[in-house]
Amino acid sequence: MSDLSTSDGDSIDRARGTAGYAGAADALAVQYEEVTFDEVHRDVLGLVPVEPARILDIGAGTGRDAAALAALGHDVVAVEPTAELRAHGQRIHAGSAIDWVDDALPELALRQCRRPGRFEAIFATAVWMHLDAGERGRAMARIAALLMPGGRFFVNLRRGPVPEGRHMFDVSAAETVELGATHGLRTVLNSERADLHGREGVRWSTLVLAADEGVVALQ
């Protein structure tokens, strides 16, 4: 993968967080596309912007969600640090108006982004649990800075056994809610559901955190 890191530490963070994904990219591309955006995000569909909005999809994988959002008329930036998954996404969704970027949390410099600025919605699906405690703190600060006033952060947390070879942590919804609050993000939804792929012991927490209207996070 190309290195857009802002420091040596960020390079290390990215290498750890994406462990196991490159080698499994072909199988994961099939798995990701087996379920739809509406199925994965059914609990939060009513909170997704209705009018065309600027949306950031962090850890976009094959672009399943990014493509669905673009089809709704949104201006979508898809961030995916694993080159193999990004290549699958650009192939599968070649007809979608997606701005693909090679980058990652916690720094998320977005240097490749065609148009800089903030977002009305940010998605992090099956991403947050790859960050350790220190990285999660830096990442939440970055998310808050990237959200427009009133913008919403959609985050899905995987709970359960860690797949072999993955860099993953058991991150609770409660911790994420508290961390968001320290950065001015209030919780508007907190739910839990079973795994769509039927994996034993795996459950998902779904959160939506919102930046208050009129409040601008410090960059």
Side-chain angles (χ1 to χ4, degrees):
M1 88 183 50
S2 60
D3 183 8
L4 296 180
S5 60
T6 56
S7 67
D8 290 342
D10 186 39
S11 280
I12 294 170
D13 291 346
R14 294 182 64 181
R16 290 187 310 197
T18 60
Y21 282 91
D26 292 349
L28 289 172
V30 175
Q31 177 182 307
Y32 292 166
E33 297 290 329
E34 283 178 342
V35 293
T36 67
F37 173 84
D38 286 357
E39 289 171 330
V40 173
H41 300 286
R42 69 184 183 194
D43 293 348
V44 303
L45 292 177
L47 296 171
V48 176
V50 175
E51 297 300 320
R54 193 156 191 257
I55 297 181
L56 177 65
D57 185 13
I58 302 171
T62 56
R64 174 202 62 214
D65 294 352
L69 291 163
L72 293 173
H74 299 301
D75 177 6
V76 183
V77 177
V79 169
E80 176 48 58
T82 302
E84 292 81 358
L85 286 175
R86 200 168 60 249
H88 277 298
Q90 290 170 319
R91 171 183 58 81
I92 295 168
H93 300 292
S96 295
I98 300 171
D99 183 7
W100 285 95
V101 173
D102 175 14
D103 208 338
L105 289 171
E107 268 62 41
L108 197 63
L110 295 180
R111 290 198 182 109
Q112 284 184 341
C113 189
R114 289 196 297 258
R115 185 165 62 88
R118 292 185 291 156
F119 299 85
E120 289 155 290
I122 298 176
F123 283 78
T125 302
V127 169
W128 203 251
M129 64 278 181
H130 291 299
L131 305 173
D132 66 27
E135 293 162 354
R136 293 195 296 274
R138 286 151 52 204
M140 192 66 81
R142 182 60 175 145
I143 293 294
L146 285 170
L147 279 174
M148 294 180 182
R152 292 168 177 165
F153 178 35
F154 299 77
V155 56
N156 283 25
L157 296 168
R158 185 187 194 275
R159 309 297 307 280
V162 175
E164 185 177 354
R166 298 287 169 81
H167 179 79
M168 193 179 292
F169 302 89
D170 186 14
V171 184
S172 71
E175 178 207 295
T176 309
V177 164
E178 183 177 354
L179 182 59
T182 66
H183 293 281
L185 304 181
R186 60 183 174 84
T187 302
V188 297
L189 183 141
N190 184 348
S191 67
E192 187 173 317
R193 65 183 298 180
D195 181 59
L196 288 176
H197 299 284
R199 289 169 291 195
E200 186 175 356
V202 176
R203 295 191 63 81
W204 292 85
S205 294
T206 299
L207 298 167
V208 181
L209 310 180
D212 288 337
E213 296 280 359
V215 176
V216 179
L218 296 177
Q219 298 282 350

mmCIF file with all atom_site columns, all heavy atoms in Angstrom, residues 26 32 36 41 47 50 57 63 97-98 153 168 173 176 199 209:
data_model
loop_
_atom_site.group_PDB
_atom_site.id
_atom_site.type_symbol
_atom_site.label_atom_id
_atom_site.label_alt_id
_atom_site.label_comp_id
_atom_site.label_asym_id
_atom_site.label_entity_id
_atom_site.label_seq_id
_atom_site.pdbx_PDB_ins_code
_atom_site.Cartn_x
_atom_site.Cartn_y
_atom_site.Cartn_z
_atom_site.occupancy
_atom_site.B_iso_or_equiv
_atom_site.pdbx_formal_charge
_atom_site.auth_seq_id
_atom_site.auth_comp_id
_atom_site.auth_asym_id
_atom_site.auth_atom_id
_atom_site.pdbx_PDB_model_num
ATOM 1   N N   . ASP A 1 26  ? -9.463  -11.238 -1.349 1.00 0.00 ? 26  ASP A N   1
ATOM 2   C CA  . ASP A 1 26  ? -10.345 -11.857 -2.346 1.00 0.00 ? 26  ASP A CA  1
ATOM 3   C C   . ASP A 1 26  ? -11.594 -12.438 -1.684 1.00 0.00 ? 26  ASP A C   1
ATOM 4   O O   . ASP A 1 26  ? -12.721 -12.234 -2.155 1.00 0.00 ? 26  ASP A O   1
ATOM 5   C CB  . ASP A 1 26  ? -9.610  -12.952 -3.126 1.00 0.00 ? 26  ASP A CB  1
ATOM 6   C CG  . ASP A 1 26  ? -8.521  -12.394 -4.030 1.00 0.00 ? 26  ASP A CG  1
ATOM 7   O OD1 . ASP A 1 26  ? -8.474  -11.160 -4.218 1.00 0.00 ? 26  ASP A OD1 1
ATOM 8   O OD2 . ASP A 1 26  ? -7.718  -13.193 -4.553 1.00 0.00 ? 26  ASP A OD2 1
ATOM 9   N N   . TYR A 1 32  ? -18.090 -9.134  1.910  1.00 0.00 ? 32  TYR A N   1
ATOM 10  C CA  . TYR A 1 32  ? -18.608 -7.779  2.093  1.00 0.00 ? 32  TYR A CA  1
ATOM 11  C C   . TYR A 1 32  ? -19.793 -7.496  1.182  1.00 0.00 ? 32  TYR A C   1
ATOM 12  O O   . TYR A 1 32  ? -20.748 -6.814  1.569  1.00 0.00 ? 32  TYR A O   1
ATOM 13  C CB  . TYR A 1 32  ? -17.515 -6.742  1.822  1.00 0.00 ? 32  TYR A CB  1
ATOM 14  C CG  . TYR A 1 32  ? -16.388 -6.711  2.827  1.00 0.00 ? 32  TYR A CG  1
ATOM 15  C CD1 . TYR A 1 32  ? -15.212 -6.027  2.537  1.00 0.00 ? 32  TYR A CD1 1
ATOM 16  C CD2 . TYR A 1 32  ? -16.479 -7.360  4.051  1.00 0.00 ? 32  TYR A CD2 1
ATOM 17  C CE1 . TYR A 1 32  ? -14.163 -5.984  3.448  1.00 0.00 ? 32  TYR A CE1 1
ATOM 18  C CE2 . TYR A 1 32  ? -15.432 -7.326  4.961  1.00 0.00 ? 32  TYR A CE2 1
ATOM 19  C CZ  . TYR A 1 32  ? -14.281 -6.634  4.654  1.00 0.00 ? 32  TYR A CZ  1
ATOM 20  O OH  . TYR A 1 32  ? -13.236 -6.597  5.550  1.00 0.00 ? 32  TYR A OH  1
ATOM 21  N N   . THR A 1 36  ? -26.177 -6.041  2.019  1.00 0.00 ? 36  THR A N   1
ATOM 22  C CA  . THR A 1 36  ? -26.388 -4.718  1.463  1.00 0.00 ? 36  THR A CA  1
ATOM 23  C C   . THR A 1 36  ? -26.198 -3.623  2.505  1.00 0.00 ? 36  THR A C   1
ATOM 24  O O   . THR A 1 36  ? -26.190 -3.878  3.707  1.00 0.00 ? 36  THR A O   1
ATOM 25  C CB  . THR A 1 36  ? -27.811 -4.594  0.893  1.00 0.00 ? 36  THR A CB  1
ATOM 26  O OG1 . THR A 1 36  ? -28.756 -4.650  1.976  1.00 0.00 ? 36  THR A OG1 1
ATOM 27  C CG2 . THR A 1 36  ? -28.100 -5.716  -0.104 1.00 0.00 ? 36  THR A CG2 1
ATOM 28  N N   . HIS A 1 41  ? -26.963 -1.408  7.923  1.00 0.00 ? 41  HIS A N   1
ATOM 29  C CA  . HIS A 1 41  ? -27.249 -0.153  8.624  1.00 0.00 ? 41  HIS A CA  1
ATOM 30  C C   . HIS A 1 41  ? -28.743 0.049   8.878  1.00 0.00 ? 41  HIS A C   1
ATOM 31  O O   . HIS A 1 41  ? -29.196 1.185   9.037  1.00 0.00 ? 41  HIS A O   1
ATOM 32  C CB  . HIS A 1 41  ? -26.677 1.021   7.823  1.00 0.00 ? 41  HIS A CB  1
ATOM 33  C CG  . HIS A 1 41  ? -25.195 0.946   7.627  1.00 0.00 ? 41  HIS A CG  1
ATOM 34  N ND1 . HIS A 1 41  ? -24.303 1.200   8.650  1.00 0.00 ? 41  HIS A ND1 1
ATOM 35  C CD2 . HIS A 1 41  ? -24.449 0.602   6.544  1.00 0.00 ? 41  HIS A CD2 1
ATOM 36  C CE1 . HIS A 1 41  ? -23.057 1.045   8.195  1.00 0.00 ? 41  HIS A CE1 1
ATOM 37  N NE2 . HIS A 1 41  ? -23.124 0.674   6.930  1.00 0.00 ? 41  HIS A NE2 1
ATOM 38  N N   . LEU A 1 47  ? -31.485 8.062   10.133 1.00 0.00 ? 47  LEU A N   1
ATOM 39  C CA  . LEU A 1 47  ? -30.588 9.134   10.554 1.00 0.00 ? 47  LEU A CA  1
ATOM 40  C C   . LEU A 1 47  ? -29.582 9.528   9.465  1.00 0.00 ? 47  LEU A C   1
ATOM 41  O O   . LEU A 1 47  ? -28.832 10.490  9.639  1.00 0.00 ? 47  LEU A O   1
ATOM 42  C CB  . LEU A 1 47  ? -29.831 8.712   11.820 1.00 0.00 ? 47  LEU A CB  1
ATOM 43  C CG  . LEU A 1 47  ? -30.705 8.485   13.061 1.00 0.00 ? 47  LEU A CG  1
ATOM 44  C CD1 . LEU A 1 47  ? -29.879 7.861   14.185 1.00 0.00 ? 47  LEU A CD1 1
ATOM 45  C CD2 . LEU A 1 47  ? -31.345 9.784   13.523 1.00 0.00 ? 47  LEU A CD2 1
ATOM 46  N N   . VAL A 1 50  ? -30.912 12.855  4.115  1.00 0.00 ? 50  VAL A N   1
ATOM 47  C CA  . VAL A 1 50  ? -31.840 12.628  3.003  1.00 0.00 ? 50  VAL A CA  1
ATOM 48  C C   . VAL A 1 50  ? -31.425 13.462  1.792  1.00 0.00 ? 50  VAL A C   1
ATOM 49  O O   . VAL A 1 50  ? -31.357 12.956  0.669  1.00 0.00 ? 50  VAL A O   1
ATOM 50  C CB  . VAL A 1 50  ? -33.285 12.977  3.426  1.00 0.00 ? 50  VAL A CB  1
ATOM 51  C CG1 . VAL A 1 50  ? -34.228 12.849  2.243  1.00 0.00 ? 50  VAL A CG1 1
ATOM 52  C CG2 . VAL A 1 50  ? -33.731 12.078  4.577  1.00 0.00 ? 50  VAL A CG2 1
ATOM 53  N N   . ASP A 1 57  ? -16.588 7.733   4.312  1.00 0.00 ? 57  ASP A N   1
ATOM 54  C CA  . ASP A 1 57  ? -16.684 6.318   4.693  1.00 0.00 ? 57  ASP A CA  1
ATOM 55  C C   . ASP A 1 57  ? -15.272 5.836   5.011  1.00 0.00 ? 57  ASP A C   1
ATOM 56  O O   . ASP A 1 57  ? -14.457 5.628   4.114  1.00 0.00 ? 57  ASP A O   1
ATOM 57  C CB  . ASP A 1 57  ? -17.300 5.513   3.552  1.00 0.00 ? 57  ASP A CB  1
ATOM 58  C CG  . ASP A 1 57  ? -17.550 4.055   3.913  1.00 0.00 ? 57  ASP A CG  1
ATOM 59  O OD1 . ASP A 1 57  ? -17.470 3.724   5.114  1.00 0.00 ? 57  ASP A OD1 1
ATOM 60  O OD2 . ASP A 1 57  ? -17.828 3.259   2.999  1.00 0.00 ? 57  ASP A OD2 1
ATOM 61  N N   . GLY A 1 63  ? -16.194 -0.786  -0.864 1.00 0.00 ? 63  GLY A N   1
ATOM 62  C CA  . GLY A 1 63  ? -17.015 0.338   -1.291 1.00 0.00 ? 63  GLY A CA  1
ATOM 63  C C   . GLY A 1 63  ? -18.501 0.049   -1.354 1.00 0.00 ? 63  GLY A C   1
ATOM 64  O O   . GLY A 1 63  ? -19.256 0.828   -1.944 1.00 0.00 ? 63  GLY A O   1
ATOM 65  N N   . ALA A 1 97  ? -19.685 7.243   -8.425 1.00 0.00 ? 97  ALA A N   1
ATOM 66  C CA  . ALA A 1 97  ? -18.940 8.495   -8.259 1.00 0.00 ? 97  ALA A CA  1
ATOM 67  C C   . ALA A 1 97  ? -18.366 8.553   -6.844 1.00 0.00 ? 97  ALA A C   1
ATOM 68  O O   . ALA A 1 97  ? -18.878 9.246   -5.963 1.00 0.00 ? 97  ALA A O   1
ATOM 69  C CB  . ALA A 1 97  ? -19.852 9.682   -8.518 1.00 0.00 ? 97  ALA A CB  1
ATOM 70  N N   . ILE A 1 98  ? -17.293 7.806   -6.628 1.00 0.00 ? 98  ILE A N   1
ATOM 71  C CA  . ILE A 1 98  ? -16.655 7.711   -5.318 1.00 0.00 ? 98  ILE A CA  1
ATOM 72  C C   . ILE A 1 98  ? -15.247 8.289   -5.418 1.00 0.00 ? 98  ILE A C   1
ATOM 73  O O   . ILE A 1 98  ? -14.507 7.983   -6.357 1.00 0.00 ? 98  ILE A O   1
ATOM 74  C CB  . ILE A 1 98  ? -16.567 6.242   -4.844 1.00 0.00 ? 98  ILE A CB  1
ATOM 75  C CG1 . ILE A 1 98  ? -17.964 5.623   -4.722 1.00 0.00 ? 98  ILE A CG1 1
ATOM 76  C CG2 . ILE A 1 98  ? -15.823 6.146   -3.519 1.00 0.00 ? 98  ILE A CG2 1
ATOM 77  C CD1 . ILE A 1 98  ? -17.930 4.122   -4.480 1.00 0.00 ? 98  ILE A CD1 1
ATOM 78  N N   . PHE A 1 153 ? -21.776 10.866  13.308 1.00 0.00 ? 153 PHE A N   1
ATOM 79  C CA  . PHE A 1 153 ? -20.757 9.827   13.203 1.00 0.00 ? 153 PHE A CA  1
ATOM 80  C C   . PHE A 1 153 ? -21.434 8.481   13.424 1.00 0.00 ? 153 PHE A C   1
ATOM 81  O O   . PHE A 1 153 ? -21.966 8.211   14.500 1.00 0.00 ? 153 PHE A O   1
ATOM 82  C CB  . PHE A 1 153 ? -19.667 10.073  14.254 1.00 0.00 ? 153 PHE A CB  1
ATOM 83  C CG  . PHE A 1 153 ? -18.571 9.048   14.287 1.00 0.00 ? 153 PHE A CG  1
ATOM 84  C CD1 . PHE A 1 153 ? -18.103 8.432   13.130 1.00 0.00 ? 153 PHE A CD1 1
ATOM 85  C CD2 . PHE A 1 153 ? -17.984 8.701   15.506 1.00 0.00 ? 153 PHE A CD2 1
ATOM 86  C CE1 . PHE A 1 153 ? -17.088 7.491   13.182 1.00 0.00 ? 153 PHE A CE1 1
ATOM 87  C CE2 . PHE A 1 153 ? -16.963 7.760   15.564 1.00 0.00 ? 153 PHE A CE2 1
ATOM 88  C CZ  . PHE A 1 153 ? -16.521 7.153   14.386 1.00 0.00 ? 153 PHE A CZ  1
ATOM 89  N N   . MET A 1 168 ? -7.032  -6.427  16.881 1.00 0.00 ? 168 MET A N   1
ATOM 90  C CA  . MET A 1 168 ? -8.385  -6.038  17.244 1.00 0.00 ? 168 MET A CA  1
ATOM 91  C C   . MET A 1 168 ? -8.546  -6.015  18.761 1.00 0.00 ? 168 MET A C   1
ATOM 92  O O   . MET A 1 168 ? -7.893  -6.789  19.462 1.00 0.00 ? 168 MET A O   1
ATOM 93  C CB  . MET A 1 168 ? -9.377  -7.030  16.617 1.00 0.00 ? 168 MET A CB  1
ATOM 94  C CG  . MET A 1 168 ? -10.829 -6.600  16.627 1.00 0.00 ? 168 MET A CG  1
ATOM 95  S SD  . MET A 1 168 ? -11.894 -7.855  15.826 1.00 0.00 ? 168 MET A SD  1
ATOM 96  C CE  . MET A 1 168 ? -11.373 -7.730  14.114 1.00 0.00 ? 168 MET A CE  1
ATOM 97  N N   . ALA A 1 173 ? -19.532 -0.220  23.667 1.00 0.00 ? 173 ALA A N   1
ATOM 98  C CA  . ALA A 1 173 ? -20.327 0.932   23.254 1.00 0.00 ? 173 ALA A CA  1
ATOM 99  C C   . ALA A 1 173 ? -20.249 2.029   24.309 1.00 0.00 ? 173 ALA A C   1
ATOM 100 O O   . ALA A 1 173 ? -20.155 3.220   23.979 1.00 0.00 ? 173 ALA A O   1
ATOM 101 C CB  . ALA A 1 173 ? -21.772 0.505   23.020 1.00 0.00 ? 173 ALA A CB  1
ATOM 102 N N   . THR A 1 176 ? -17.180 4.102   23.984 1.00 0.00 ? 176 THR A N   1
ATOM 103 C CA  . THR A 1 176 ? -17.235 4.933   22.788 1.00 0.00 ? 176 THR A CA  1
ATOM 104 C C   . THR A 1 176 ? -18.152 6.131   22.993 1.00 0.00 ? 176 THR A C   1
ATOM 105 O O   . THR A 1 176 ? -17.850 7.248   22.559 1.00 0.00 ? 176 THR A O   1
ATOM 106 C CB  . THR A 1 176 ? -17.704 4.091   21.592 1.00 0.00 ? 176 THR A CB  1
ATOM 107 O OG1 . THR A 1 176 ? -16.910 2.902   21.513 1.00 0.00 ? 176 THR A OG1 1
ATOM 108 C CG2 . THR A 1 176 ? -17.563 4.861   20.286 1.00 0.00 ? 176 THR A CG2 1
ATOM 109 N N   . ARG A 1 199 ? -21.800 -15.663 12.375 1.00 0.00 ? 199 ARG A N   1
ATOM 110 C CA  . ARG A 1 199 ? -20.603 -16.147 13.060 1.00 0.00 ? 199 ARG A CA  1
ATOM 111 C C   . ARG A 1 199 ? -20.870 -16.295 14.553 1.00 0.00 ? 199 ARG A C   1
ATOM 112 O O   . ARG A 1 199 ? -21.405 -15.382 15.192 1.00 0.00 ? 199 ARG A O   1
ATOM 113 C CB  . ARG A 1 199 ? -19.438 -15.186 12.812 1.00 0.00 ? 199 ARG A CB  1
ATOM 114 C CG  . ARG A 1 199 ? -18.911 -15.243 11.383 1.00 0.00 ? 199 ARG A CG  1
ATOM 115 C CD  . ARG A 1 199 ? -17.958 -14.121 11.072 1.00 0.00 ? 199 ARG A CD  1
ATOM 116 N NE  . ARG A 1 199 ? -18.648 -12.832 11.032 1.00 0.00 ? 199 ARG A NE  1
ATOM 117 C CZ  . ARG A 1 199 ? -18.119 -11.723 10.499 1.00 0.00 ? 199 ARG A CZ  1
ATOM 118 N NH1 . ARG A 1 199 ? -16.905 -11.760 9.966  1.00 0.00 ? 199 ARG A NH1 1
ATOM 119 N NH2 . ARG A 1 199 ? -18.807 -10.592 10.496 1.00 0.00 ? 199 ARG A NH2 1
ATOM 120 N N   . LEU A 1 209 ? -23.318 9.195   16.839 1.00 0.00 ? 209 LEU A N   1
ATOM 121 C CA  . LEU A 1 209 ? -22.923 10.332  17.671 1.00 0.00 ? 209 LEU A CA  1
ATOM 122 C C   . LEU A 1 209 ? -23.027 11.588  16.831 1.00 0.00 ? 209 LEU A C   1
ATOM 123 O O   . LEU A 1 209 ? -22.627 11.603  15.663 1.00 0.00 ? 209 LEU A O   1
ATOM 124 C CB  . LEU A 1 209 ? -21.481 10.168  18.179 1.00 0.00 ? 209 LEU A CB  1
ATOM 125 C CG  . LEU A 1 209 ? -21.130 8.815   18.825 1.00 0.00 ? 209 LEU A CG  1
ATOM 126 C CD1 . LEU A 1 209 ? -19.663 8.819   19.265 1.00 0.00 ? 209 LEU A CD1 1
ATOM 127 C CD2 . LEU A 1 209 ? -22.041 8.515   20.002 1.00 0.00 ? 209 LEU A CD2 1
#
